[in-house]
Amino acid sequence: WSTLRSIVLQSLEGLQYLHKQNALHRDLKPHNILAQYASHADDGTLIVKLADFGFCKFFGDSHSVKMTDNFRGTRAYAPPEALCSRQYSEQSDVYSWACCIAQVATGLYPKQHIAAPPPAPLSEFLPYSATDLMQQGLKLHPWFVEIIMQCFTFERKERPTVDQLLAEMIAN
């Protein structure tokens, strides 16, 4: 848990920094979260960095970017709004971040989803289920599973912000 916690905290801090620069990553995936043990430290210090800013967009004061072009990025980690060409916001990055953390924790690749839910239950369109998160890989604590599941909320405005996620992680 301590290694995952370090990845969670440092990747959130990186995302928080990016958002404070009025930028959205728009292509978070495990390959774009780099982790390496510090060569100068004997205490096993893990250093985590975000990478690959090729699809990064600056949003100015609006805190969202209208997606006018075709989808770009990695589909499996993309939030629903990116797939339907709607507004992309900081909470869109939160959705992708949660997919990355869930994959690292469980070893499972995100389930493919579609942009808009049909009449079927919304749970069928989640990239991970709470059961996946509690029973696979690291078998996460229920409070952490709840945090990750909140990040998968279909409506982006209902997802937690990076600041809220960091505060929750620090408190626990």
Coordinates of all heavy atoms in Angstrom, one line a residue, residues 114 116-126 154:
I114 N -18.8 3.2 -23.6 CA -19.3 4.1 -24.6 C -19.5 5.5 -24.1 O -19.6 5.7 -22.9 CB -20.5 3.5 -25.3 CG1 -21.7 3.4 -24.3 CG2 -20.3 2.1 -25.9 CD1 -23.0 3.0 -24.9
A116 N -22.2 7.6 -24.2 CA -23.5 7.9 -23.5 C -24.2 6.7 -23.0 O -24.2 5.7 -23.8 CB -24.4 8.7 -24.4
P117 N -24.6 6.6 -21.8 CA -25.3 5.4 -21.3 C -26.6 5.2 -22.0 O -27.5 6.1 -22.0 CB -25.4 5.6 -19.8 CG -25.5 7.1 -19.7 CD -24.6 7.7 -20.8
P118 N -26.9 4.0 -22.5 CA -28.2 3.7 -23.0 C -29.1 3.3 -21.8 O -28.7 3.5 -20.6 CB -28.0 2.4 -23.9 CG -26.8 1.8 -23.3 CD -25.9 2.9 -22.8
P119 N -30.3 2.8 -22.0 CA -31.2 2.5 -20.8 C -30.6 1.5 -19.8 O -31.1 1.3 -18.8 CB -32.4 2.0 -21.5 CG -32.4 2.5 -22.9 CD -31.0 2.7 -23.2
A120 N -29.6 0.8 -20.2 CA -29.0 -0.2 -19.3 C -28.4 0.5 -18.1 O -28.1 1.7 -18.1 CB -27.8 -1.0 -20.1
P121 N -28.2 -0.3 -17.0 CA -27.7 0.4 -15.8 C -26.3 1.0 -16.0 O -25.5 0.4 -16.7 CB -27.5 -0.8 -14.8 CG -28.4 -1.9 -15.3 CD -28.5 -1.7 -16.8
L122 N -26.1 2.1 -15.4 CA -24.8 2.9 -15.6 C -23.6 2.1 -15.2 O -22.6 2.2 -15.8 CB -24.9 4.2 -14.9 CG -23.7 5.2 -15.1 CD1 -23.6 5.5 -16.6 CD2 -23.9 6.4 -14.2
S123 N -23.8 1.2 -14.2 CA -22.7 0.4 -13.7 C -22.1 -0.5 -14.8 O -20.9 -0.9 -14.7 CB -23.1 -0.5 -12.6 OG -24.1 -1.4 -13.0
E124 N -22.8 -0.8 -15.9 CA -22.3 -1.6 -17.0 C -21.3 -0.8 -17.8 O -20.6 -1.4 -18.6 CB -23.4 -2.1 -17.9 CG -24.3 -3.1 -17.2 CD -25.4 -3.7 -18.1 OE1 -25.2 -3.6 -19.3 OE2 -26.3 -4.2 -17.5
F125 N -21.2 0.5 -17.6 CA -20.3 1.3 -18.4 C -19.1 1.9 -17.6 O -18.4 2.8 -18.1 CB -21.1 2.5 -19.0 CG -22.3 1.9 -19.9 CD1 -23.5 1.8 -19.3 CD2 -22.0 1.4 -21.1 CE1 -24.6 1.3 -20.1 CE2 -23.0 0.9 -21.9 CZ -24.3 0.8 -21.4
L126 N -18.9 1.4 -16.4 CA -17.8 1.8 -15.6 C -16.5 1.1 -16.0 O -16.6 -0.1 -16.4 CB -18.0 1.6 -14.1 CG -19.2 2.3 -13.5 CD1 -19.4 1.8 -12.1 CD2 -18.9 3.8 -13.5
F154 N -20.3 9.5 -14.1 CA -20.5 9.9 -15.6 C -20.5 11.4 -15.8 O -19.9 11.8 -16.7 CB -21.8 9.2 -16.0 CG -22.0 9.3 -17.5 CD1 -21.3 8.3 -18.3 CD2 -22.7 10.2 -18.1 CE1 -21.4 8.4 -19.7 CE2 -22.9 10.3 -19.5 CZ -22.2 9.4 -20.3

